[in-house]
């Protein structure tokens, strides 16, 4: 029987990120003004991560399509993924709306008046994000007018369009010519993964800076006034992950709890940085090791980052009701169902604009036309705390989606998954997933 040499606990990335978050919270409470200045650490880390996200999405999607070797095979995986995304996203939206109605969320805050600084910050975030003004604008914005510009602007939806078209163009080439290009793309992709592995060593610093800023900049007063919203949002997120996704995993033949333990490093990185992009490169590697085929990982995971934003969906539906109740604006069930229809479209843009979920939420509030935009400033103060749960839910949801769609499409090797569990946890390789 072989023994596994475990590295010291203090060298484990999960421990380092958790410790950094705890120190960041303490620092934020003890020296709030100084802690707020440490935002730069989190910003630098996220900027470094984002330098590799668009190229990695391009390489993995193109390689995933090319390695399938058959357009029908690509279509089978892609169609099932899109159906899964729409069904689960709709459940997430409905759950947030139902939870908000049951709690009558925000009803006790009629006298809330956000500060001018918060209002200005919220306005700046919205204008910087350039959120789509309408459904037609959103659809038009998906298609790039410049190959390089989509990468330079970090427009993930545009990069996906380019990647899919390029992948199909690669499939149209003769096998001998295609193999040379595939080999080159694979080698460059490996280099980008090593680049990301180097950046990830700075994840604890990024988590410390981000959390210290969130606590220091907002202070205890804002945290206490909106504590109910934040707490209930976390409860709703937890319910979605452990109940909704848990049922999906059980139906698909694997344990959600074991799977979460397998990707725990990535979960804590996302929780600390409040960015689902920070875990994408590692998950692309890890899910393939888990037994999902290269083409299914390359297609489903990056596409899910644009089309399967479960945490964003819950945030949007819950916060719409919060603003309505906080400002005494009644919303009928017809209006709420209409809101779900709008958010089914606008939530897909969260990965395509700078500012993420908050910017797209602002676009939705504007599109509805019945809610006061001042409510955006009310939520902006605690968005950082909510964004940690949003990003974590999005990451878990897309990881589960990749495994589920892979299993449904016959692109999953169960023995590989069992062997990986055995390697990581020391479990019996014949045990159930």
């Amino acid at each position: 029987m072989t023994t596994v040499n475990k590295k010291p606990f203090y060298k484990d990335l999960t421990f380092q990120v958790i410790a950094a978050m705890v120190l960041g919270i303490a620092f934020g409470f003890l020296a709030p003004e100084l802690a707020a200045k440490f935002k730069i650490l989190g910003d630098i880390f996220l900027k470094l991560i984002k330098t590799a996200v668009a190229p990695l999405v391009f390489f993995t999607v193109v390689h995933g399509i090319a390695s399938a070797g058959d357009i029908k095979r690509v279509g089978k995986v892609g169609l099932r993924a899109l159906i899964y995304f729409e069904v689960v996203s709709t459940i997430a939206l409905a759950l947030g709306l139902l939870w908000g109605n049951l709690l009558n969320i925000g009803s006790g805050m009629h006298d809330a008046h956000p500060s001018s600084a918060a209002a200005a910050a919220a306005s700046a975030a919205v204008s910087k994000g350039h959120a789509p003004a309408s459904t037609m604008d959103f659809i038009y914005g998906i298609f790039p007018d410049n190959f390089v510009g989509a990468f330079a602007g970090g427009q993930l939806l545009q990069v996906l369009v380019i990647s899919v078209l390029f992948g199909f163009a690669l499939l149209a080439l003769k096998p001998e010519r295609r193999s040379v290009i595939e080999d080159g793309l694979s080698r460059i992709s490996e280099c980008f993964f090593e680049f990301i592995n180097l950046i990830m060593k700075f994840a604890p610093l990024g988590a410390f800076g981000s959390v210290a800023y969130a606590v220091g900049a907002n202070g205890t007063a804002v945290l206490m006034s909106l504590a109910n919203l934040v707490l209930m949002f976390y409860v709703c997120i937890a319910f979605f992950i452990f109940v909704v996704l848990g049922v999906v995993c059980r139906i698909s033949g694997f344990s959600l709890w074991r799977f979460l333990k397998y990707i725990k490093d990535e979960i804590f990185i996302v929780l600390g940085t409040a960015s689902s992009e920070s875990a994408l490169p590692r998950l692309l590697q890890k899910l393939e090791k888990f037994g999902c085929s290269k083409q299914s990982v390359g297609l489903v995971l990056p596409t899910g980052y644009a089309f399967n934003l479960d945490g964003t969906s819950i945030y949007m539906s819950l916060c719409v009701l919060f603003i309505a109740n906080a400002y005494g604006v009644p919303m009928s069930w017809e209006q709420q169902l209409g809101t779900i229809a709008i958010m089914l479209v606008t939530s897909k843009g969260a990965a395509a604009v700078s500012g993420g979920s908050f910017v797209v939420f602002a676009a939705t509030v504007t599109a509805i036309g019945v809610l006061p935009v001042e409510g955006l400033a009310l939520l902006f103060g605690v968005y950082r705390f909510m964004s940690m749960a949003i990003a974590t839910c999005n990451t878990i949801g897309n990881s589960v989606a990749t495994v589920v769609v892979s299993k449904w499409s016959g692109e999953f090797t169960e023995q590989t998954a069992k062997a990986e569990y055995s390697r990581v946890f020391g479990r019996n390789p014949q045990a159930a997933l």
Side-chain angles (χ1 to χ4, degrees):
M1 182 176 180
T2 58
T3 57
V4 180
N5 293 323
K6 292 187 176 181
K7 59 184 177 182
F9 71 93
Y10 56 84
K11 290 187 177 181
D12 184 73
L13 187 61
T14 301
F15 172 80
Q16 293 175 0
V17 171
I18 294 175
M21 291 171 63
V22 172
L23 290 174
I25 292 171
F27 186 39
F29 278 118
L30 294 174
E33 292 186 7
L34 181 60
K37 297 178 181 179
F38 278 73
K39 178 176 182 289
I40 190 172
L41 291 178
D43 290 346
I44 290 174
F45 175 72
L46 292 180
K47 285 183 73 174
L48 288 173
I49 287 290
K50 288 179 180 179
T51 58
V53 168
L56 267 179
V57 167
F58 175 78
F59 291 131
T60 52
V61 171
V62 171
H63 197 273
I65 292 174
S67 62
D70 182 6
I71 293 178
K72 289 183 179 179
R73 189 179 179 191
V74 174
K76 179 180 69 173
V77 175
L79 179 61
R80 292 180 181 183
L82 290 176
I83 293 172
Y84 175 91
F85 294 160
E86 286 308 308
V87 171
V88 177
S89 294
T90 303
I91 292 173
L93 284 168
L95 178 63
L97 213 55
L98 178 63
W99 187 234
N101 277 291
L102 287 175
L103 297 173
N104 203 17
I105 194 79
S107 59
M109 298 187 65
H110 291 294
D111 298 326
H113 297 288
S115 68
S116 58
S123 177
V126 174
S127 61
K128 183 180 178 182
H130 305 293
S134 68
T135 301
M136 291 299 102
D137 289 336
F138 167 72
I139 294 173
Y140 180 76
I142 291 176
F143 298 93
D145 58 4
N146 187 305
F147 193 99
V148 178
F151 291 87
Q155 301 295 322
L156 187 57
L157 286 174
Q158 294 186 3
V159 171
L160 278 169
V161 170
I162 292 173
S163 305
V164 171
L165 293 176
F166 195 92
F168 282 125
L170 194 57
L171 275 181
L173 295 177
K174 294 181 179 179
E176 61 272 13
R177 300 180 67 181
R178 189 173 73 207
S179 61
V180 176
I181 300 175
E182 283 185 58
D183 184 61
L185 290 174
S186 179
R187 291 177 184 274
I188 298 174
S189 180
E190 288 177 9
C191 184
F192 267 97
F193 278 120
E194 289 303 318
F195 173 63
I196 286 294
N197 288 335
L198 182 63
I199 293 174
M200 292 313 299
K201 295 183 184 297
F202 298 97
L205 285 176
F208 172 79
S210 298
V211 174
Y213 164 74
V215 176
N218 291 296
T220 56
V222 174
L223 294 181
M224 290 302 294
S225 65
L226 296 174
N228 184 56
L229 172 65
V230 176
L231 178 61
M232 291 302 101
F233 175 68
Y234 271 78
V235 170
C236 192
I237 289 288
F239 181 87
F240 178 82
I241 292 173
F242 293 109
V243 177
V244 177
L245 294 183
V247 170
V248 170
C249 292
R250 179 59 60 91
I251 292 173
S252 301
F254 67 103
S255 166
L256 172 68
W257 185 248
R258 292 195 195 105
F259 182 67
L260 292 180
K261 287 177 63 179
Y262 178 65
I263 60 171
K264 63 179 174 57
D265 287 355
E266 291 70 31
I267 292 173
F268 281 114
I269 289 169
V270 171
L271 191 62
T273 60
S275 170
S276 54
E277 288 182 339
S278 60
L280 177 58
R282 288 169 61 99
L283 286 172
L284 287 168
Q285 288 182 309
K286 210 161 191 178
L287 292 176
E288 189 177 337
K289 290 180 180 178
F290 186 65
C292 302
S293 68
K294 181 181 287 289
Q295 53 269 21
S296 63
V297 173
L299 282 171
V300 180
L301 189 62
T303 306
Y305 267 65
F307 288 93
N308 185 43
L309 304 174
D310 303 325
T312 300
S313 299
I314 294 172
Y315 171 81
M316 292 173 69
S317 57
L318 189 64
C319 287
V320 160
L321 285 179
F322 180 85
I323 292 178
N325 291 330
Y327 285 87
V329 179
M331 289 187 73
S332 65
W333 276 105
E334 291 78 7
Q335 287 176 310
Q336 292 183 30
L337 292 175
T339 299
I340 283 187
I342 294 173
M343 288 189 290
L344 274 173
V345 177
T346 57
S347 64
K348 302 298 183 290
V353 296
S354 175
S357 301
F358 183 80
V359 174
V360 175
F361 173 68
T364 305
V365 169
T366 304
I368 293 171
V370 297
L371 298 176
V373 293
E374 292 83 1
L376 298 174
L378 187 67
L379 293 169
F380 187 77
V382 292
Y383 173 69
R384 177 68 197 187
F385 295 95
M386 300 179 81
S387 67
M388 293 190 292
I390 293 170
T392 303
C393 184
N394 288 344
T395 300
I396 294 173
N398 284 316
S399 300
V400 168
T402 303
V403 177
V404 170
V405 174
S406 296
K407 289 173 82 63
W408 287 356
S409 305
E411 301 286 339
F412 184 82
T413 307
E414 190 164 318
Q415 289 304 316
T416 302
K418 290 180 178 180
E420 182 69 358
Y421 272 169
S422 177
R423 183 187 69 81
V424 175
F425 304 128
R427 297 176 68 245
N428 182 351
Q430 301 304 317
L433 289 178

